[in-house]
Amino acid sequence: QVQPAESGGGLVQSGGSLRLSCARSARTFNRDVIGWFRQAPGKDREFVAAISRRLSTTLYSDSVKGRFTISVDDAKSTVDLQMNSLKPEDTATYYCAFQSAWHRISARVLKAYDTWGQGTQVTVSS
């Protein structure tokens, strides 16, 4: 497996929950920073959350803070995004991505990430 692989997307009602997983590959296994981004139809890809494995530091966009939680599961070699209290505006394709070094500014920047998954669709119905 070369690319990271996202899973866990699906259709859920507003107020519901989903848990996304990003399987770390041999290429990304030792990368420190993992980010989740999302892209809705017709919109730019945007930052959702990021985590530093070494520092155990997390960062969230204002739109998901308090509802989403990013975590690393070393036993399963995944990086998970627990999404609670989902809203229709959370509907998007969700991507995980990797970069090598943590910085609070670059953790939010799409171009700072050099390895991307294929994405998993999340649809929240009203």
Side-chain angles (χ1 to χ4, degrees):
Q1 179 184 350
V2 177
Q3 280 186 303
E6 302 94 338
S7 62
L11 174 63
V12 64
Q13 288 189 331
S14 181
S17 297
L18 281 174
R19 188 176 185 88
L20 306 183
S21 288
C22 173
R24 291 152 56 197
S25 65
R27 179 179 177 185
T28 61
F29 195 81
N30 291 321
R31 296 290 183 88
D32 180 47
V33 182
I34 303 92
W36 282 96
F37 291 76
R38 66 186 182 187
Q39 187 166 19
K43 295 189 177 181
D44 293 335
R45 194 170 297 188
E46 65 174 5
F47 170 76
V48 174
I51 188 167
S52 164
R53 292 174 53 235
R54 183 174 61 88
L55 300 174
S56 297
T57 298
T58 59
L59 201 62
Y60 297 93
S61 68
D62 289 343
S63 61
V64 308
K65 195 176 297 182
R67 299 188 297 124
F68 290 13
T69 303
I70 187 171
S71 61
V72 175
D73 188 329
D74 283 326
K76 296 191 296 182
S77 297
T78 62
V79 179
D80 299 335
L81 185 69
Q82 178 65 42
M83 307 186 297
N84 298 328
S85 302
L86 283 162
K87 306 175 182 180
E89 51 263 44
D90 293 318
T91 295
T93 301
Y94 283 70
Y95 300 88
C96 66
F98 292 76
Q99 62 170 295
S100 296
W102 175 266
H103 189 282
R104 289 189 65 83
I105 294 178
S106 67
R108 297 177 177 268
V109 177
L110 187 149
K111 291 184 178 180
Y113 292 82
D114 57 16
T115 305
W116 291 82
Q118 294 293 324
T120 186
Q121 178 66 37
V122 171
T123 302
V124 184
S125 63
S126 56

